[in-house]
Amino acid sequence: MTHSQPPYGGQPDPNVTPWSGPPAPPAQPGGYPAYGQPPPQFATPVPPPQKSNRGLVIGLSVGAAVVVLLALCGTGIGFLLVNDDDEDPKPIASASTPANPTDGPQPSTDPSAEPQPSQSQEQPNNNNGVTARYSSELSAVCDGGQILNAAPYNGPSGAKAYAFSNSPDRPSSWSSKSVSSNKPYYAKSADFQTVSVVGCLKVVAGSEGAPKECNYKDSAGKTVAVSYISSRYTLTFYAAKTGEKIGDGGTVSAPANRCPSFISYNKTTMKSYAAPDSGSIEAALDKFLS
């Protein structure tokens, strides 16, 4: 290819088109910029507008107000109900007898319909009834009491018996008197609930005899003189369960003609009172319970 140029200093030929460079390359497919063109600018995406919680807050506030209002209404209703309960009810008048005598309940003529007192549980007939826990507690009969859990007295045959006595220096204290274990009325201490008879030996006031002097060694080995005194007792038999007197055992002596091997005495008065004779007690029980 040749290019015609105007001579030096001459004018360009009007019939020749001046060279304007190579033709522009065709546009790139897909919208990409042509070679040598600056890349297009991409706009930053605008974030969506934030949702407002104003409506939710308003809704919750309205709901809370409704709940409070309902609670206040409920409290007011409950208060009204409580106030109604506190009011004294108006008395309701009722007739003492039916308007028509034939309409009301008629008294029963059946004797079996009458309430019967319970026979299964015996009630004490005085204020001194006790429930014994030990054999020694049966001595309460001698003070006018009764033993609620003692065996009932149904006669001398097969009856079990205990005996107790007091003393001139301790009239309100009762000690148990032993009897032979081969006697039919004998009862062990553990079998006190089988006892139905209690014999009470009460000292006769002013029956003390002349004291007998007995010498003993005390716990320190010192010799002491004890006045051993005799007396008399009256024996009375009572039903243990009811406290009722059921017989007399006569008079039982408490001899002091011999000094016992062992003795219990009052350290202040140096006196000791003889116990009722065991043989005389057994003889009286034999006679009463035979």
Side-chain angles (χ1 to χ4, degrees), residues 3 6 26 31 33 37 53 57 78 88 101 106 114 194 196 200 214 276 284-285:
H3 301 281
Q37 298 295 323
N53 293 333
V57 172
D88 293 333
Q106 301 298 321
E114 296 294 331
T194 65
S196 60
C200 298
C214 299
L285 285 168

Side-chain angles (χ1 to χ4, degrees), residues 132-274:
R133 297 168 298 170
Y134 312 101
S135 60
S136 60
E137 292 183 340
L138 270 72
S139 64
V141 175
C142 299
D143 287 323
Q146 60 185 104
I147 308 302
L148 303 180
N149 57 335
Y153 176 70
N154 297 318
S157 179
K160 302 296 182 180
Y162 280 163
F164 300 91
S165 70
N166 64 358
S167 174
D169 59 342
R170 295 191 301 171
S172 60
S173 178
W174 301 88
S175 60
S176 176
K177 302 290 107 178
S178 61
V179 296
S180 300
S181 59
N182 60 354
K183 297 293 182 177
Y185 46 80
Y186 169 81
K188 296 180 180 179
S189 297
D191 300 331
F192 64 90
Q193 294 188 45
T194 65
V195 173
S196 60
V197 176
V198 173
C200 298
L201 293 126
K202 186 176 181 179
V203 65
V204 177
S207 64
E208 294 87 344
K212 180 178 180 62
E213 183 175 331
C214 299
N215 296 323
Y216 296 93
K217 294 283 187 180
D218 62 8
S219 58
K222 180 181 177 181
T223 301
V224 294
V226 178
S227 297
Y228 191 44
I229 304 172
S230 63
S231 60
R232 294 189 305 275
Y233 289 80
T234 56
L235 175 58
T236 306
F237 297 111
Y238 297 91
K241 195 173 188 66
T242 63
E244 297 175 325
K245 179 181 176 180
I246 55 177
D248 291 312
T251 301
V252 176
S253 62
N257 53 338
R258 291 187 304 175
C259 294
S261 300
F262 301 93
I263 195 171
S264 176
Y265 61 97
N266 188 311
K267 291 183 178 181
T268 302
T269 62
M270 299 302 293
K271 292 180 179 181
S272 177
Y273 292 90

Side-chain angles (χ1 to χ4, degrees), residues 9-52:
Q11 296 295 324
D13 188 355
N15 298 320
V16 178
T17 303
W19 180 73
S20 58
Q28 295 296 324
Y32 289 97
Y35 178 79
Q37 298 295 323
Q41 298 296 323
F42 296 96
T44 304
V46 178
Q50 295 183 355
K51 295 182 179 180
S52 176

